Amino acid sequence: MTFGLVGLLLGMAMGSPDDGMAHSTRIDHRSGAVQSDYAANVQVTHQQIGTVGAGGRPSTLRCLWRAGLVVERQARHLSGSTLARSFTQDRVAEGSRPGWCSTQKAAIARDVAGRKEAFQARLIRLAQEDHPVLHAEIDRMHGMTQAG
């Protein structure tokens, strides 16, 4: 097995820092207020690239990483109905580190943790982008209530 193939297989390993994020907002709808709570976790993927240097040649090993958000939305309508949705946002942050991914995971976790404010800001934007989706879900729910 070549180093490139081994690197590719190892590079598919995924990690997730322990810190989750949250955002809550109230959405006004013609059928009543909706409390929406968004919880997100950072998901990091690693990809090993390059080769080990042989015979005095320098190594070209690098670990490419990408971090995205996995978001869970729980919305509670005034009527008591709950509307849940899960979605992801890839490539919120990315970078690279020299060497093997297996030895760089702690450093990458620190890099990701240092960008927590950017992840929180992205979560807020994603929640805002979710408002039309949530309105449509409430409209469908409200339409079913009207028909029933």
Side-chain angles (χ1 to χ4, degrees):
M1 199 179 272
T2 66
F3 282 112
L5 183 56
V6 170
L8 180 62
L9 294 173
L10 290 174
M12 297 312 292
M14 294 170 42
S16 180
D18 293 331
D19 285 345
M21 289 163 278
H23 173 70
S24 293
T25 187
R26 191 184 98 160
I27 297 171
D28 293 319
H29 186 269
R30 62 183 169 82
S31 66
V34 179
Q35 178 63 38
S36 297
D37 298 317
Y38 296 86
N41 288 304
V42 177
Q43 184 174 54
V44 180
T45 60
H46 305 89
Q47 180 184 8
Q48 186 69 57
I49 62 168
T51 59
V52 174
R57 294 184 180 166
S59 170
T60 62
L61 289 175
R62 290 201 74 72
C63 180
L64 302 178
W65 61 269
R66 290 186 188 103
L69 289 174
V70 178
V71 181
E72 300 287 332
R73 182 247 288 152
Q74 292 289 326
R76 287 174 307 287
H77 188 267
L78 211 69
S79 68
S81 298
T82 301
L83 300 160
R85 177 177 180 229
S86 299
F87 54 98
T88 60
Q89 173 71 58
D90 296 328
R91 291 188 175 202
V92 176
E94 57 190 322
S96 71
R97 290 235 164 219
W100 291 103
C101 288
S102 60
T103 61
Q104 293 297 329
K105 287 187 180 181
I108 291 168
R110 285 190 302 274
D111 289 347
V112 170
R115 299 177 187 200
K116 184 164 182 145
E117 287 181 15
F119 284 103
Q120 185 68 37
R122 181 64 65 94
L123 174 59
I124 292 169
R125 282 198 314 271
L126 290 170
Q128 291 168 344
E129 292 170 7
D130 182 57
H131 291 180
V133 174
L134 182 54
H135 271 274
E137 290 175 6
I138 296 167
D139 287 344
R140 282 192 300 273
M141 179 183 73
H142 185 70
M144 289 191 309
T145 303
Q146 292 287 334

